[in-house]
């Protein structure tokens, strides 16, 4: 679980910018053109943005044919981040999650092929950092599926995780803490991580792009810092939650500023 997926054409790491899911009624007629069939929404969204974080896999188990369909409907270079099923992460003892992890990873996600981005393991806000149990969980995470390397992002939400011990543990197992911009959850990042995973959750309804263009410019500078320097790495950025109706506009503005 190391190293960035460097673009073979440019020699630079990838930047992926997107939203959470693609089915949301307020996006119809604003982000999606009026009259666009719902069945065409993934096709459209994947040609405006460069990634989508799938929330549906957190609640339901999908068939391999569904992942294959998503792969075929999206353009080359597009990527999906998948939230692992909540039956894995929403348990008192994480060390008991082995069978649930295997079911999720073996459910057909490999059908996404090169469009499979990081797996997001999202934990309950009430889940505290218990080092021994959390290490036992990380030891269960597979490094690959069907020969394809897996990247793991840890979306921890309790303030007890805001400790160097958690960062060191995640690093030891090749996992990356999710950096969350939110009033509710701690914001953590590991400068030594193999990639960056950002979830921007402060979108405001009274700002057309959710975040002001000035705030997006600051995030753009941070993205460039991750992809530059002596150790360039991939970055995934999702405008998600908050004023969700503004998420596509925020993602498009960040893409524009990074162009």
């Amino acid at each position: 679980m190391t190293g960035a997926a460097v673009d073979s054409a440019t020699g630079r790491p990838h930047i992926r910018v997107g939203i959470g899911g693609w089915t949301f009624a307020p996006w119809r007629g604003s982000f999606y053109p009026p009259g666009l069939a719902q069945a065409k929404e993934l096709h459209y969204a994947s040609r405006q943005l460069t990634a989508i974080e799938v929330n549906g896999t957190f609640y339901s188990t999908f068939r391999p044919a569904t992942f294959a369909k998503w792969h075929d409907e999206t353009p080359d270079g597009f990527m999906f981040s998948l939230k692992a099923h909540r039956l894995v992460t929403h348990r008192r003892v994480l060390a008991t999650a082995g069978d649930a992890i295997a079911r999720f990873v073996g459910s057909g996600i490999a059908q996404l092929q090169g469009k499979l981005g990081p797996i997001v393991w999202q934990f309950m806000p009430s889940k505290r950092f218990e080092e021994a149990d959390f290490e036992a969980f990380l030891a269960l995470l597979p490094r690959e599926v069907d020969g394809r390397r897996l990247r793991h992002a840890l979306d921890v939400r309790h303030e007890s995780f805001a400790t160097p011990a958690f960062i060191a543990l995640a690093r030891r197992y090749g996992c990356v803490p999710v950096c969350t911009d939110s009033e509710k959850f701690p914001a953590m990042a590991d400068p030594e991580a193999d990639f960056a995973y950002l979830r921007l959750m402060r979108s405001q309804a009274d700002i057309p792009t959710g975040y002001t263009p000035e705030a997006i410019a600051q995030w753009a500078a941070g993205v460039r810092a991750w992809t530059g320097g002596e150790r360039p790495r991939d970055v995934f950025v999702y405008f998600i939650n908050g004023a969700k109706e503004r998420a596509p506009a925020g993602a498009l503005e960040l893409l524009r500023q990074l162009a």
Side-chain angles (χ1 to χ4, degrees):
M1 292 184 283
T2 59
V6 176
D7 189 304
S8 59
T10 65
R12 299 172 60 187
H14 292 295
I15 299 171
R16 298 280 191 269
V17 180
I19 54 180
W22 60 87
T23 303
F24 186 55
W27 293 342
R28 294 167 188 147
S30 55
F31 175 49
Y32 295 122
L36 181 73
Q38 291 186 32
K40 298 291 186 181
E41 289 177 350
L42 175 58
H43 180 278
Y44 181 87
S46 64
R47 284 155 177 81
Q48 310 304 310
L49 309 169
T50 53
I52 283 176
E53 183 186 275
V54 181
N55 194 48
T57 50
F58 183 71
Y59 296 102
S60 303
T61 299
F62 290 84
R63 297 179 181 275
T66 299
F67 294 111
K69 183 173 181 288
W70 295 349
H71 173 275
D72 293 345
E73 287 184 6
T74 52
D76 292 344
F78 190 81
M79 295 197 88
F80 293 90
S81 295
L82 302 179
K83 273 193 189 179
H85 200 287
R86 59 182 173 174
L87 291 179
V88 176
T89 55
H90 286 199
R91 58 180 64 213
R92 187 176 65 84
V93 181
L94 293 172
T96 65
D99 289 346
I101 291 171
R103 282 195 299 273
F104 173 75
V105 173
S107 65
I109 65 175
Q111 295 296 317
L112 288 172
Q113 302 178 46
K115 298 176 184 178
L116 175 60
I119 297 175
V120 182
W121 307 88
Q122 186 177 90
F123 301 88
M124 293 183 293
S126 60
K127 185 64 177 176
R128 301 181 63 89
F129 178 48
E130 297 170 337
E131 186 167 356
D133 185 44
F134 207 77
E135 179 168 11
F137 173 82
L138 296 184
L140 296 171
L141 298 182
R143 293 183 174 269
E144 61 178 38
V145 58
D146 290 358
R148 187 169 299 280
R149 182 176 64 92
L150 293 176
R151 290 188 277 190
H152 299 294
L154 306 175
D155 188 11
V156 297
R157 300 186 157 202
H158 193 274
E159 61 184 9
S160 61
F161 282 88
T163 171
F166 164 64
I167 299 296
L169 185 61
R171 188 183 300 170
R172 191 181 313 152
Y173 284 87
C175 298
V176 173
V178 171
C179 182
T180 303
D181 184 39
S182 169
E183 296 178 356
K184 298 180 181 179
F185 310 125
M188 290 175 283
D190 178 7
E192 300 300 318
D194 291 322
F195 63 96
Y197 199 101
L198 313 178
R199 301 180 89 241
L200 307 187
M201 302 176 66
R202 295 181 191 260
S203 293
Q204 300 179 48
D206 60 346
I207 301 174
T209 50
Y211 283 69
T212 65
E214 293 77 15
I216 291 175
Q218 292 181 331
W219 286 107
V223 168
R224 291 190 187 97
W226 274 95
T227 57
E230 296 181 358
R231 190 168 173 240
R233 286 154 287 178
D234 291 354
V235 181
F236 297 82
V237 186
Y238 293 100
F239 287 77
I240 199 160
N241 209 312
K244 187 174 178 178
E245 67 274 16
R246 299 300 193 189
L252 290 169
E253 174 62 17
L254 178 56
L255 285 167
R256 185 190 69 79
Q257 293 199 25
L258 289 170

